[in-house]
């Protein structure tokens, strides 16, 4: 008789050690996107959607509850994932891939002209991950090329 596998993440606001999958994703990113391996793994924390929205947008007024599913905090080396995140689908794993790109960029000291500019590689990696499973950003998240362009270009 084997014990039931433990969940990858604890409940609200919980944090656990990074799953072995994180190593695999980092190696894939290193091999396919010329990102140097980070000296340390990010912290992984799950939070309710409204808290993620508040972290990203402040008061979050008018922001749809599912608008923010994850974010990376460079100051604390933490990837925050929505409390409903399980990592059990290519689309959910692609969210972790996206945020792991930001962690690897930060650990390598990459700098960008604006916050939007750092998103290009993260979206490219996320889309490539999805392609491994016959999906893309548009089918998985309703992100079309025009939306991606607007979200990855500096406007100042």
């Amino acid at each position: 008789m084997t014990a039931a596998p433990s969940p990858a993440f604890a409940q609200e606001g919980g944090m656990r050690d990074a799953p072995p999958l994180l190593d695999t994703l980092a190696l894939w990113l290193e091999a396919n996107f010329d990102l140097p391996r980070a000296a340390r793994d990010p912290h992984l924390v799950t939070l309710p959607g409204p808290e993620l929205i508040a972290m990203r947008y402040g008061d979050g007024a008018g922001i749809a509850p599912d608008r923010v599913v994850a974010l990376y905090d460079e100051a604390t080396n933490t990837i925050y994932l929505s409390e409903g995140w399980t990592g059990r689908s290519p689309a959910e794993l692609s969210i972790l891939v996206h945020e792991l790109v930001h962690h690897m960029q930060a650990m390598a000291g990459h700098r960008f002209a604006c916050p939007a500019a750092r998103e290009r590689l993260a979206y490219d990696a996320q889309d490539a991950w999805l392609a491994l499973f016959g999906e893309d950003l548009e089918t998985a998240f309703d992100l079309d090329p025009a939306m991606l362009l607007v979200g990855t270009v500096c406007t100042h």
Side-chain angles (χ1 to χ4, degrees):
M1 179 189 225
T2 59
S6 61
F9 300 96
Q11 295 298 317
E12 179 179 328
M15 182 169 54
R16 293 203 142 173
D17 292 334
L21 174 63
L22 199 57
D23 289 332
T24 302
L25 295 177
L27 287 169
W28 181 79
L29 287 167
E30 183 180 22
N32 291 284
F33 293 92
D34 197 30
L35 282 167
R37 186 68 190 263
R40 61 182 179 271
D41 288 332
H43 302 288
L44 300 175
V45 177
T46 57
L47 290 175
E51 288 185 39
L52 287 173
I53 290 169
M55 288 176 76
R56 175 72 171 88
Y57 294 105
D59 68 8
I63 306 297
D66 62 346
R67 175 80 173 116
V68 180
V69 295
L71 58 88
Y72 177 69
D73 181 355
E74 187 172 339
T76 62
N77 301 313
T78 302
I79 294 174
Y80 292 95
L81 297 157
S82 176
E83 67 185 343
W85 188 91
T86 64
R88 293 187 179 144
S89 71
E92 284 198 355
L93 285 174
S94 79
I95 294 167
L96 184 56
V97 166
H98 182 110
E99 300 307 329
L100 188 55
V101 166
H102 294 316
H103 175 70
M104 293 170 79
Q105 289 170 326
M107 292 288 100
H110 294 179
R111 297 293 169 235
F112 301 91
C114 70
R118 76 181 190 139
E119 294 296 330
R120 172 53 33 203
L121 182 61
Y123 279 123
D124 286 349
Q126 186 176 9
D127 199 43
W129 177 265
L130 288 166
L132 295 172
F133 303 93
E135 297 183 56
D136 59 31
L137 288 168
E138 192 164 8
T139 60
F141 297 101
D142 200 25
L143 290 173
D144 64 50
M147 291 172 66
L148 289 173
L149 179 63
V150 169
T152 60
V153 173
C154 297
T155 58
H156 61 296

